Amino acid sequence: RLQQAECVCSPRAYTFKLMFVFDFDQTCDVNTIDGKPGIVGTSCQPPALTPVVIDSVQILELNRDLQMIAQKLIPGPFIKEDKFSYTSVSAQLTPDEPLVDQEVPSIIVLILYGRNVAGIPVNSQVSWEYNLTNCDDEPIMTGDKIGIIEVDNYETANPAFCPAIATDPPTSTPSLSPTDPPTATSTITIPPTAKPTPEPTIPPTPSPVAGSMSYAASFSLSHMSKASKGKAHNAGKGKSGKLIRQRS
């Protein structure tokens, strides 16, 4: 059994933005999440064809034993720069119970089901794994990118579980500019999901059924399961979809 979580610094909620590009051989080279201290590894499977619309997005969360603890299907359609939001299982964590007795997300998987201009189905998948023993770093920041996904906004982890974002105690040292008003600290608020523009000229394709595992999800989970049992390694990004793990 894997080591129990010592902290949870992953966001309680996310807002993602779609960033379509035209050179999909290079899509998975756009990855600012991989290599961070709070990230164990990432995986990226680029679409084979250029999508012009995403019909739906399936989001999965897994614990450290690679057991699925959450699944949500977000219907579209979404086009370039449209946004969609997701609330993580970590939002349900409570300081009143030890982490060992709660569902702690370790891996998040995003599967995008879309179509190209001819209406041919196009799928893409990205995922990353959080380091649940690194309590000193926020693993995700606004502007982080992987594949055609960008983190547009997020709600920080509960400070009770993440020392990295715990509020610093006030200092007794007077300010150098006592006449300046203090700066208020505010919690990041997730903006509402933008209403996507429909694509009437493209024939619709069936969306995946909520509550069922897709072939792309099964591929990712089985691959991660194998990778989790081996030693840390680095793999090239791109169409291989291999998990890149960098354990400290």
Side-chain angles (χ1 to χ4, degrees), residues 140-205:
I140 292 292
M141 301 297 290
T142 296
D144 276 339
K145 302 178 179 68
I146 179 171
I148 62 174
I149 293 293
E150 177 178 342
V151 178
D152 185 73
N153 206 345
Y154 68 99
E155 182 181 358
T156 57
N158 188 330
F161 300 112
C162 182
I165 60 173
T167 304
D168 294 329
T171 177
S172 59
T173 305
S175 171
L176 296 178
S177 302
T179 57
D180 293 337
T183 302
T185 301
S186 59
T187 302
I188 295 175
T189 302
I190 302 298
T193 304
K195 183 178 181 180
T197 302
E199 298 284 336
T201 59
I202 301 176
T205 56

Side-chain angles (χ1 to χ4, degrees), residues 233-246:
H233 65 279
N234 292 320
K237 308 183 186 106
K239 297 185 179 180
S240 62
K242 293 183 178 178
L243 179 68
I244 306 168
R245 287 176 173 264
Q246 297 183 354

Side-chain angles (χ1 to χ4, degrees), residues 95-146:
D96 298 331
E97 298 180 21
L99 284 177
V100 67
D101 296 329
Q102 302 185 70
E103 293 287 11
V104 177
S106 176
I107 297 171
I108 184 167
V109 183
L110 286 79
I111 310 165
L112 298 91
Y113 302 92
R115 291 166 286 148
N116 71 353
V117 69
I120 299 174
V122 178
N123 298 334
S124 180
Q125 177 177 317
V126 298
S127 59
W128 57 91
E129 180 177 359
Y130 291 108
N131 187 337
L132 301 181
T133 62
N134 184 312
C135 308
D136 300 323
D137 301 277
E138 266 194 278
I140 292 292
M141 301 297 290
T142 296
D144 276 339
K145 302 178 179 68
I146 179 171

Side-chain angles (χ1 to χ4, degrees), residues 62-81:
L62 291 73
N63 61 19
R64 294 205 73 185
D65 294 320
L66 301 182
Q67 298 171 330
M68 188 170 64
I69 57 177
Q71 179 178 201
K72 183 176 182 180
L73 183 66
I74 304 174
F78 303 111
I79 60 173
K80 182 178 180 180
E81 297 191 355

Side-chain angles (χ1 to χ4, degrees), residues 10-14 61 70 86-93 105 108 130:
S10 58
R12 283 178 280 188
Y14 308 79
E61 285 189 287
Y86 174 72
T87 300
S88 170
V89 174
S90 64
Q92 303 173 16
L93 296 175
I108 184 167
Y130 291 108

